Amino acid sequence: MGDNLRGEHKPNIILIIMDVQRASNMHCYGYEKETTPNIDRIAREGTIFLRCISPAVWTLPSHASIFTGRYVYGHGVGASYTYKPVERYTLTEILKAVGYKTVGFCNHGHWWARYGIRDDRGFDEFYGIKFSSEKEWIEVGSAKTIDLVINWIEKNKNNQPFFIFINCVEPHLPYIPPQEYIKKFLGDYSIEEVKKLQPNVWKVRMGIEKITRDRWEKLRALYDGETACLDERLGKLFTYLEESNLMDKTLLIITSDHGDEQGEHYPPHIGHQLHLYQPGIHVPLIVRYPDVFPQGEKVNELVQTLDIFPTILDLLSIKNIDIWKQNQGISLIPVVEGKMRRLFALAEHQKPLLSFERMLRIDPNYDFRKWNRWIKALIVGDYKYIWSSDGNDELYNLKEDPLEQNNLVDEEKDKVENMRKLLFKILNSLEHRDLGDFVQGDEENIRLLERLGYLRRSGVTTERVVMEGLTP
């Protein structure tokens, strides 16, 4: 299955990123609540990857991995370098070079513009979605994005193939879904009452703000409401694709950049960044394209979101050697065919300079040194090893302890040593990119971090890659 179909024609490609969507509260991943009926349908018609791990735990490095096919170790973008460099091929540039019309729709539009990863990275068109008020953001949200996507397809569907990138910010904090979803998942609470439940994640991490068990339960219910709301809005797009006879001509990929901690490791952890626990890195990955991905298939092998990059290259039979040299992922096609399996999953969080700067905004005298660590998580089989630069390593058996509550680092020292050696062996096998430090924020905070020796001014310059040998 698949080999004789690859490269014969170019399907449309739609990549949907559900920002901060963890896998654990989606019905198609075993959640008891009916949060995702529309996505469940796509999962039944496609292939669902049950053990997908994001290589990073916040937006910028996660997207960099998806669009370059590289680990954080490989592209160098993270909490100490908050800018996506341009010296590597991106998925969008490659698709544009082989004849795709490329367009992006992003509810994080201002964010993408700030970090320089818009039109100059291969998008023919890029739309940063803006909202006139908080009310429009809550009541309309990504519905506005989906309407724009449908309108764009309607105007361009005769100019196939196209690549569409869609970033929806539900269910990102603050968890404030429309009233009907508040009622369905939480009960009779007003919008104003829900707003008061929202935490300041930096104050929580710093110990300034506390969250009770009851408040956590309410926040989780609101997160379910956000997920269900986004599912309904995405359902409109799925229906349009079916009614327009485009669904089976389209490689549809639904995933997330990362998840959120919601009390599993509190205190001090909340949201994303500063940890690599499963709520932050276990994300959904659903692929629908019947010619290649079996309908109703549930894959229990480890995969990662950076594997999307080589999957598309494989599907389109792109043979450019330089692009494949860049790639550090594994195509999902031989995985579903049973011809290949990923032996490990790797996730990373760099030295958290961005977090230091955000904390200093709240309290210029805050002692952030306890957060001064960078971490790497390695998953092999049932075991997960978290290496920490401060020596406080962790080991979990995810099969027996999926919530990572029982650190086995002292009980299984041989396993820890073997996992640490394997981690170093893997890192030694990968091309590494050190971009120095570059963090945007309050200039006085940046100078303080530099004076204390935490921040290295980067001398890195970047150049555009010339796309050779990829004309349609």
Side-chain angles (χ1 to χ4, degrees):
M1 184 224 24
D3 284 343
N4 62 332
L5 294 170
R6 267 178 254 172
E8 288 187 3
H9 62 280
K10 296 173 183 176
N12 301 313
I13 302 171
I14 299 179
L15 172 60
I16 299 172
I17 307 290
M18 305 168 67
D19 203 301
V20 196
Q21 179 59 65
R22 47 193 271 178
S24 61
N25 81 318
M26 298 177 67
H27 186 67
C28 53
Y29 278 83
Y31 194 48
E32 66 274 10
K33 296 180 183 178
E34 298 279 350
T35 51
T36 50
N38 293 290
I39 296 174
D40 294 351
R41 174 164 52 88
I42 299 301
R44 289 192 298 269
E45 297 172 357
T47 299
I48 180 170
F49 295 87
L50 300 176
R51 300 179 68 199
C52 181
I53 303 298
S54 173
V57 75
W58 69 287
T59 301
L60 183 60
S62 300
H63 281 77
S65 290
I66 290 171
F67 277 84
T68 64
R70 294 171 73 83
Y71 298 100
V72 177
Y73 189 79
H75 59 62
V77 179
S80 63
Y81 193 88
T82 57
Y83 178 83
K84 186 177 177 183
V86 297
E87 78 274 15
R88 286 285 172 180
Y89 299 98
T90 68
L91 178 62
T92 319
E93 287 173 314
I94 294 166
L95 292 173
K96 182 176 179 178
V98 298
Y100 277 78
K101 183 149 179 85
T102 59
V103 61
F105 297 88
C106 185
N107 283 14
H108 254 321
H110 67 287
W111 183 92
W112 276 63
R114 184 192 313 162
Y115 294 117
I117 44 181
R118 285 184 47 164
D119 314 78
D120 59 333
R121 298 315 321 261
F123 286 104
D124 292 313
E125 302 173 54
F126 195 97
Y127 300 96
I129 314 304
K130 298 180 179 180
F131 298 91
S132 60
S133 64
E134 183 182 55
K135 182 179 180 180
E136 184 188 18
W137 166 252
I138 294 170
E139 295 182 357
V140 180
S142 58
K144 184 175 183 178
T145 306
I146 298 305
D147 285 343
L148 289 171
V149 171
I150 291 173
N151 290 337
W152 187 92
I153 296 175
E154 191 64 23
K155 294 177 182 177
N156 292 274
K157 62 184 178 182
N158 295 324
N159 299 318
Q160 300 176 50
F162 53 73
F163 167 67
I164 302 177
F165 164 69
I166 305 171
N167 174 257
C168 298
V169 183
E170 303 98 337
H172 198 293
L173 275 167
Y175 307 147
I176 311 176
Q179 191 69 59
E180 63 179 293
Y181 291 97
I182 294 174
K183 184 174 181 60
K184 181 176 181 179
F185 289 93
L186 181 61
D188 292 322
Y189 285 76
S190 68
I191 292 287
E192 292 306 314
E193 288 174 312
V194 166
K195 287 180 183 178
K196 292 177 182 179
L197 290 170
Q198 304 307 309
N200 180 312
V201 295
W202 297 107
K203 289 183 178 180
V204 172
R205 291 164 180 151
M206 294 166 70
I208 298 171
E209 182 178 338
K210 309 294 184 182
I211 301 184
T212 64
R213 179 177 297 181
D214 177 68
R215 188 177 171 196
W216 273 123
E217 291 177 355
K218 289 182 171 65
L219 287 170
R220 292 188 201 109
L222 291 167
Y223 182 82
D224 288 344
E226 289 268 35
T227 298
C229 177
L230 178 55
D231 176 84
E232 181 189 29
R233 292 166 176 175
L234 290 174
K236 183 176 180 180
L237 174 61
F238 304 153
T239 299
Y240 168 79
L241 293 173
E242 289 164 347
E243 293 177 349
S244 301
N245 196 30
L246 290 171
M247 183 64 93
D248 288 346
K249 301 175 183 177
T250 299
L251 172 66
L252 178 61
I253 303 170
I254 302 171
T255 189
S256 174
D257 51 354
H258 54 80
D260 253 0
E261 271 279 329
Q262 294 171 344
E264 293 87 354
H265 297 90
Y266 170 80
H269 293 295
I270 183 174
H272 46 279
Q273 296 194 38
L274 300 171
H275 68 84
L276 288 173
Y277 295 117
Q278 291 298 95
I281 62 174
H282 180 207
V283 296
L285 178 58
I286 299 164
V287 182
R288 188 193 188 283
Y289 186 54
D291 284 352
V292 176
F293 289 89
Q295 296 189 43
E297 186 85 2
K298 294 183 178 181
V299 177
N300 204 38
E301 298 286 350
L302 278 172
V303 298
Q304 299 207 246
T305 52
L306 75 153
D307 297 338
I308 292 169
F309 181 91
T311 301
I312 293 175
L313 300 185
D314 191 6
L315 182 67
L316 299 179
S317 293
I318 292 174
K319 305 296 185 183
N320 183 284
I321 295 174
D322 289 336
I323 292 176
W324 280 102
K325 283 182 179 178
Q326 167 185 316
N327 172 63
Q328 295 176 338
I330 296 173
S331 171
L332 300 172
I333 296 174
V335 173
V336 299
E337 292 176 337
K339 297 177 180 178
M340 185 180 292
R341 59 190 296 262
R342 175 179 270 284
L343 300 179
F344 66 88
L346 174 66
E348 304 162 83
H349 191 56
Q350 289 184 347
K351 182 171 60 173
L353 294 180
L354 175 66
S355 300
F356 298 166
E357 198 280 326
R358 297 298 183 270
M359 293 172 180
L360 290 171
R361 290 185 190 186
I362 294 171
D363 180 1
N365 297 311
Y366 179 70
D367 188 353
F368 54 78
R369 286 178 295 174
K370 69 176 182 178
W371 296 104
N372 184 33
R373 64 171 193 156
W374 48 103
I375 49 181
K376 301 180 186 296
L378 179 68
I379 300 175
V380 179
D382 294 332
Y383 279 90
K384 177 179 180 181
Y385 168 63
I386 301 176
W387 176 91
S388 176
S389 62
D390 65 2
N392 292 314
D393 294 356
E394 300 169 71
L395 180 72
Y396 299 100
N397 185 321
L398 295 178
K399 185 175 182 179
E400 297 177 359
D401 179 26
L403 296 180
E404 300 161 291
Q405 300 298 305
N406 183 24
N407 185 1
L408 302 173
V409 72
D410 293 325
E411 297 175 31
E412 299 197 34
K413 293 184 179 180
D414 288 344
K415 173 64 76 173
V416 171
E417 184 63 21
N418 289 337
M419 294 284 276
R420 180 162 52 235
K421 289 179 179 177
L422 179 58
L423 172 64
F424 294 161
K425 183 177 180 180
I426 290 168
L427 295 177
N428 191 52
S429 72
L430 297 172
E431 182 185 5
H432 176 48
R433 178 155 285 102
D434 182 357
L435 295 167
D437 299 326
F438 179 83
V439 178
Q440 294 183 326
D442 180 82
E443 188 56 35
E444 181 56 38
N445 292 340
I446 300 301
R447 285 197 293 268
L448 173 62
L449 292 172
E450 187 175 22
R451 287 195 296 270
L452 293 173
Y454 285 92
L455 186 149
R456 302 168 298 148
R457 292 288 184 180
S458 173
V460 173
T461 59
T462 57
E463 296 178 359
R464 288 295 305 278
V465 173
V466 177
M467 305 295 288
E468 297 178 348
L470 284 175
T471 53

